Amino acid sequence: KVNGSTSYGSSGPQLDAEGTPTGTAQHYLDITNGNNYVYQTFKVPTCGSTDASPRTVTFSGYFSGRDNSLNANGLVAIVEGTPVFTNVSTGTLGGTVLAQVSGANMASVPSMTQSWNRLSGTVQVTPGSTISYVAWLSDYANFDNASLAFSNFTCPSTTLTLQKTWSSSVAGHMATITATRDGSQVD
């Protein structure tokens, strides 16, 4: 937790990656005494079972260093399914890595006044598949502002026309319908 003051010492930047004004409480991730990773799994948007149009995923994350060290390393990646690390110490990913962007020695000294380094990339993914956003950081790295966005797709529009003749009904009666396209419910 930082707020722009010098009370955080050399453990990292005085401000988060958003550059929130001084005096405002801010947060970023710092895993001390070891290398580790964080991830989140997503289902790629689909317009139904016959949808085969690839989706573009844009992803990014911000890194900085701490303790006035020049050994801040990190990566952001998109992997199929759930991530598997073959070596957490080095950030080596196993499984199917769809895209990965790495940065080494990203810190500047002194740590409390350094800039954040943005790592970003794009990759095409299959609709309906499961992917994970992964961020790995070394012992001397901080991490902030993970981002993942799907773009370049539009599901075909659907117009439903319902005609029903009501006989012997009382005012206020309602009917509910559910529509599906290729097994997926249409909103």
Side-chain angles (χ1 to χ4, degrees):
K1 181 176 177 179
V2 294
N3 67 3
S5 73
T6 58
S7 61
Y8 197 54
S10 65
S11 296
Q14 298 173 31
L15 297 171
D16 64 3
E18 294 175 35
T20 308
T22 298
T24 304
Q26 307 151 46
H27 300 87
Y28 55 81
L29 180 62
D30 179 1
I31 301 173
T32 54
N33 299 320
N35 307 313
N36 221 320
Y37 64 96
V38 294
Y39 74 91
Q40 184 169 352
T41 301
F42 297 88
K43 182 87 167 183
V44 178
T46 183
C47 297
S49 62
T50 60
D51 181 12
S53 301
R55 305 291 186 257
T56 299
V57 173
T58 303
F59 61 101
S60 65
Y62 287 79
F63 293 84
S64 67
R66 69 170 161 74
D67 298 332
N68 295 330
S69 173
L70 294 175
N71 294 317
N73 302 306
L75 70 81
V76 289
I78 301 297
V79 301
E80 276 187 6
T82 303
V84 175
F85 273 87
T86 57
N87 189 333
V88 175
S89 295
T90 61
T92 306
L93 282 162
T96 304
V97 179
L98 302 174
Q100 177 176 311
V101 182
S102 302
N105 302 322
M106 295 179 292
S108 61
V109 178
S111 295
M112 73 172 76
T113 57
Q114 69 182 284
S115 299
W116 286 86
N117 296 286
R118 182 175 185 257
L119 299 180
S120 64
T122 59
V123 65
Q124 297 286 307
V125 294
T126 304
S129 66
T130 300
I131 62 169
S132 292
Y133 170 98
V134 180
W136 172 85
L137 52 157
S138 70
D139 184 24
Y140 290 98
N142 302 307
F143 178 71
D144 200 12
N145 285 12
S147 176
L148 177 141
F150 296 101
S151 59
N152 84 334
F153 75 96
T154 303
C155 290
S157 62
T158 301
T159 302
L160 299 174
T161 303
L162 175 65
Q163 290 184 313
K164 172 69 176 151
T165 303
W166 294 88
S167 59
S168 302
S169 65
V170 178
H173 279 192
M174 298 174 60
T176 302
I177 64 166
T178 301
T180 60
R181 177 192 302 117
D182 299 329
S184 298
Q185 184 167 332
V186 178
D187 293 337

